[in-house]
């Protein structure tokens, strides 16, 4: 037969496990919320990054247009100068400058074609991200709302669980509770474990015959030879 002290310790342990589980939840939920907030930031950064890249590409294209326009004006100036020069050497020099400038224009126009293709590709990426952004962010915010509600409920449950734990603590002597508490701080629950076929259900190792006999008598708290847990015979 289980002693009253063991029965009370089992109640304490059950309530302690509930308290610890709720505390773990209270710690984990804000971390999960932060993770979701990071997901929203990542979605925002990706959309803004795509938009910024589009703007940068457009600036590059406009700069190329300006360079091409300036070069075409320069070619017209060279051609006007050709009409005014009298020496063949000067005419040929201007012709050479025209050809060089036309080569630059050709290179810039080729570069612009590449930019236009890149702009089209990035525009597709941006439109795709923009089309799902509000929906995806709304889903994440919904998850955050659920977690925030769960956190509030967990806080409420924790207050109630701690009150029950304190209540059960008052049912045992301080010396017995302090013994339980020291074990619970150093060993993973359960620290009050049943003996099953002379084996501690906490560490799953066999106890000595003396320990088994002491637990059978139930006159005092008995500890496992191996892990130090408080052990008892369930029947």
């Amino acid at each position: 037969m289980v002693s009253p002290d063991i029965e009370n310790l089992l109640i304490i342990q059950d309530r302690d496990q509930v308290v610890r589980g709720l505390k773990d939840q209270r710690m984990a939920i804000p971390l999960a919320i932060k993770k979701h907030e990071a997901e929203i930031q990542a979605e925002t950064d990706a959309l803004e990054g795509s938009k910024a890249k589009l703007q940068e590409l457009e600036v590059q294209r406009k700069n190329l247009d300006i360079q091409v326009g300036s070069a075409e004006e320069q070619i017209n100036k060279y051609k006007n100068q050709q009409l005014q020069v009298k020496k063949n050497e000067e005419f040929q020099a201007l012709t050479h400058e025209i050809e060089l400038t036309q080569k630059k224009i050709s290179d810039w126009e080729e570069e612009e074609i590449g930019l236009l293709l890149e702009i089209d590709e990035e525009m597709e990426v941006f439109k795709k991200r923009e089309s799902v952004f509000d929906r995806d962010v709304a889903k994440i915010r919904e998850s955050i709302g659920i977690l925030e509600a769960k956190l509030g409920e967990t806080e409420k449950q924790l207050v109630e669980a701690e009150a029950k734990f304190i209540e059960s603590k008052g049912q045992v002597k301080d010396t017995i509770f302090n013994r339980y508490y020291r074990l619970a701080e150093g060993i993973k629950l359960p620290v009050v474990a049943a003996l099953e076929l002379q084996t501690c259900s906490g560490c799953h190792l066999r106890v000595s015959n003396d320990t088994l006999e002491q637990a059978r008598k139930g006159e005092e708290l008995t500890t496992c030879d191996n892990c130090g847990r408080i052990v008892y015979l369930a029947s």
Side-chain angles (χ1 to χ4, degrees):
M1 181 178 178
V2 177
S3 69
D5 286 337
I6 291 294
E7 288 181 346
N8 288 328
L9 281 177
L10 288 172
I11 292 172
I12 287 174
Q13 180 167 261
D14 286 343
R15 293 178 177 180
D16 193 9
Q17 286 178 316
V18 172
V19 168
R20 289 169 185 254
L22 290 169
K23 285 182 176 179
D24 288 342
Q25 285 185 36
R26 185 178 64 178
M27 184 180 297
I29 291 172
L31 295 177
I33 289 174
K34 285 185 178 180
K35 182 179 179 181
H36 284 315
E37 289 173 342
E39 290 172 353
I40 291 175
Q41 189 60 53
E43 293 285 344
T44 303
D45 290 345
L47 185 63
E48 291 299 321
S50 184
K51 183 178 180 180
K53 186 173 181 180
L54 267 176
Q55 292 173 338
E56 180 184 347
L57 291 171
E58 286 291 350
V59 169
Q60 291 179 30
R61 187 186 64 80
K62 288 179 180 179
N63 287 338
L64 284 176
D65 284 342
I66 292 172
Q67 287 177 301
V68 168
S70 297
E72 288 174 342
E73 289 179 3
Q74 187 62 48
I75 288 175
N76 289 331
K77 290 180 180 179
Y78 287 146
K79 288 181 177 180
N80 288 332
Q81 290 175 12
Q82 281 182 321
L83 297 176
Q84 299 173 11
V85 297
K86 298 179 180 179
K87 294 182 179 179
N88 185 56
E89 294 83 355
E90 293 176 341
F91 185 89
Q92 293 299 326
L94 288 169
T95 300
H96 180 67
E97 290 298 328
I98 290 172
E99 290 173 350
L100 289 177
T101 305
Q102 287 175 333
K103 178 62 170 59
K104 287 181 181 180
I105 291 174
S106 177
D107 291 342
W108 287 332
E109 287 175 341
E110 187 175 345
E111 185 178 347
E112 186 172 12
I113 291 171
L115 274 175
L116 289 171
L117 291 174
E118 194 173 352
I119 287 171
D120 287 342
E121 291 174 0
E122 191 58 38
M123 180 61 75
E124 287 299 316
V125 172
F126 175 75
K127 286 181 177 179
K128 185 176 179 180
R129 284 177 174 157
E130 188 179 41
S131 66
V132 298
F133 178 80
D134 289 340
R135 181 199 66 192
D136 290 349
V137 170
K139 286 183 178 179
I140 297 172
R141 292 197 186 282
E142 182 180 353
S143 298
I144 290 175
I146 293 171
L147 286 170
E148 289 174 339
K150 186 178 180 181
L151 180 59
E153 183 61 28
T154 299
E155 292 282 5
K156 180 181 176 181
Q157 292 174 357
L158 181 58
V159 170
E160 295 172 353
E162 287 178 328
K164 288 182 179 180
F165 176 73
I166 292 172
E167 178 187 351
S168 60
K169 173 185 172 183
Q171 303 302 313
V172 299
K173 297 175 183 178
D174 288 343
T175 53
I176 294 177
F177 177 80
N178 290 339
R179 189 169 174 182
Y180 166 86
Y181 184 79
R182 286 194 299 270
L183 284 169
E185 287 298 296
I187 302 175
K188 183 180 179 181
L189 294 182
V191 297
V192 184
L195 287 176
E196 300 169 353
L197 300 177
Q198 204 169 335
T199 299
C200 171
S201 59
C203 66
H204 308 293
L205 296 176
R206 186 180 178 85
V207 300
S208 66
N209 291 332
D210 289 342
T211 298
L212 179 63
E213 183 59 28
Q214 186 179 356
R216 182 177 287 113
K217 291 178 180 179
E219 296 173 353
E220 57 183 310
L221 293 183
T222 304
T223 55
C224 173
D225 308 295
N226 306 292
C227 65
R229 286 180 170 87
I230 299 169
V231 292
Y232 65 96
L233 284 177
S235 58

